[in-house]
Amino acid sequence: MKKFRGIFLKNDYEIGLLREANRIVALILQKLGEHLKPGIKTIELEELAIDLCHKYRVKPAFKGYHGYPYALCCSVNEQIVHSFPSQRRLEEGDIISIDMGVIYQGFYGDSALTFPVGQISHEASRLLRVTEESLYRGIAEAKVGNDLYDISRAIQTYVEEIGYHVIKRFVGHGIGTKLHEKPEVPNFVPKRALRLPLKKGMVLAIEPMVAVGNDQVEVLSDKWTAITRDKSLSAHFEHTIAITKQGPLILSKP
Ligand code: MF3
Ligand code: CO
């Protein structure tokens, strides 16, 4: 694969495979969303996700990744990311971020979204809208000639204008034949940001995590579950996109 500053540039064939991997992730997330209702246990979502991986003949990408034990991350309310599916029953008013990855013919798909469970508060639904919008504002900057941090800036500026906070501990990433490739895609502009021009063929997982309270994170004793230190609500939306001559192409769409 061609490289630019250590970043793999994918050709059209490889982008086709990444499109298929990510399309399957999007389909699975859509089906999980249809099953969400108050009373369901998050482990039931995990079981459904595993069944769907068999159906689509893909491998779950997270299970076994650095020892992560499940196919899904199911992060509820103040949980930000990397939360284990469990016997916990979802309740009316909860929000749940479901993050899912698969491997299809050696190529990775990765996407996440936050769903409302039944009726949710105005604050919660605003958080979902703002986080998703910040993702789309970031994606809009993912074009040839722009800088990597134009994506980061678009996300951060929008979120902070609203008065919410981007989580800085976790970042987006390049993706291809590995789940995490160069470059890191922060949801904020780093202090000593080097310029990195975006090139055709870069494939990025852009994934803003946004909290209502502040950006302080705590990782629980299971070594994975990340929560907001102040227990305020947090949301997470992630798409895998390819940078093409015609602009950003969202791969993680059904
Ligand atoms: N979308 C997340 C990421 O890119 C999910 C990773 S879960 C893990 O980091 F288990 F694979 F770490
Ligand atoms: Co990711």
Side-chain angles (χ1 to χ4, degrees):
M1 230 180 268
K2 230 172 79 183
K3 270 191 184 182
F4 173 75
R5 298 212 200 146
I7 298 162
F8 289 112
L9 303 179
K10 282 83 179 178
N11 63 29
D12 289 350
Y13 174 71
E14 292 156 340
I15 289 177
L17 292 173
L18 285 161
R19 164 71 181 131
E20 187 57 13
N22 280 283
R23 188 183 70 88
I24 293 169
V25 173
L27 276 174
I28 295 174
L29 286 174
Q30 189 178 51
K31 297 208 169 161
L32 296 176
E34 288 163 8
H35 275 80
L36 277 180
K37 51 170 191 276
I40 193 171
K41 296 175 185 168
T42 55
I43 196 72
E44 295 175 49
L45 298 172
E46 168 78 11
E47 287 157 8
L48 183 55
I50 298 277
D51 284 348
L52 291 166
C53 283
H54 292 143
K55 177 171 163 205
Y56 294 121
R57 302 184 187 286
V58 293
K59 260 187 64 177
F62 299 167
K63 205 175 168 140
Y65 185 84
H66 292 280
Y68 187 81
Y70 297 96
L72 295 183
C73 303
C74 292
S75 306
V76 180
N77 298 338
E78 77 283 0
Q79 297 173 344
I80 303 165
V81 271
H82 302 164
S83 313
F84 297 162
S86 72
Q87 299 297 325
R88 174 175 186 162
R89 284 184 196 280
L90 295 177
E91 290 172 27
E92 177 103 23
D94 284 344
I95 58 173
I96 178 172
S97 306
I98 307 183
D99 194 346
M100 167 81 185
V102 306
I103 313 169
Y104 169 79
Q105 291 188 19
F107 284 80
Y108 282 77
D110 187 9
S111 181
L113 69 173
T114 305
F115 295 97
V117 180
Q119 276 284 105
I120 60 172
S121 70
H122 287 297
E123 179 82 289
S125 77
R126 182 152 179 259
L127 174 66
L128 266 46
R129 272 202 318 278
V130 168
T131 309
E132 186 170 26
E133 173 66 18
S134 77
L135 170 60
Y136 282 98
R137 289 186 180 215
I139 292 172
E141 298 298 322
K143 51 191 187 197
V144 176
N146 266 6
D147 187 85
L148 173 70
Y149 297 118
D150 289 333
I151 299 173
S152 311
R153 186 177 304 102
I155 293 169
Q156 182 177 26
T157 306
Y158 175 68
V159 167
E160 293 181 354
E161 253 167 31
I162 303 284
Y164 291 157
H165 307 267
V166 293
I167 300 295
K168 303 198 174 70
R169 169 92 83 102
F170 303 104
V171 296
H173 49 95
I175 177 167
T177 55
K178 286 198 285 187
L179 177 60
H180 294 145
E181 293 184 355
K182 288 217 280 189
E184 289 194 351
V185 185
N187 300 304
F188 60 97
V189 182
K191 280 220 177 61
R192 283 180 291 141
L194 297 170
R195 278 193 61 83
L196 178 75
L198 295 174
K199 298 286 184 193
K200 170 175 171 272
M202 287 181 178
V203 177
L204 306 173
I206 304 175
E207 47 179 319
M209 282 147 259
V210 174
V212 169
N214 59 51
D215 67 356
Q216 298 271 65
V217 173
E218 190 179 322
V219 176
L220 301 187
S221 58
D222 62 19
K223 299 274 184 29
W224 283 100
T225 312
I227 65 167
T228 55
R229 197 170 278 269
D230 66 1
K231 308 282 162 50
S232 72
L233 287 178
S234 164
H236 179 202
F237 283 81
E238 173 178 26
H239 271 312
T240 293
I241 62 102
I243 297 177
T244 75
K245 262 194 321 220
Q246 293 93 316
L249 176 65
I250 300 179
L251 302 179
S252 44
K253 283 259 164 87

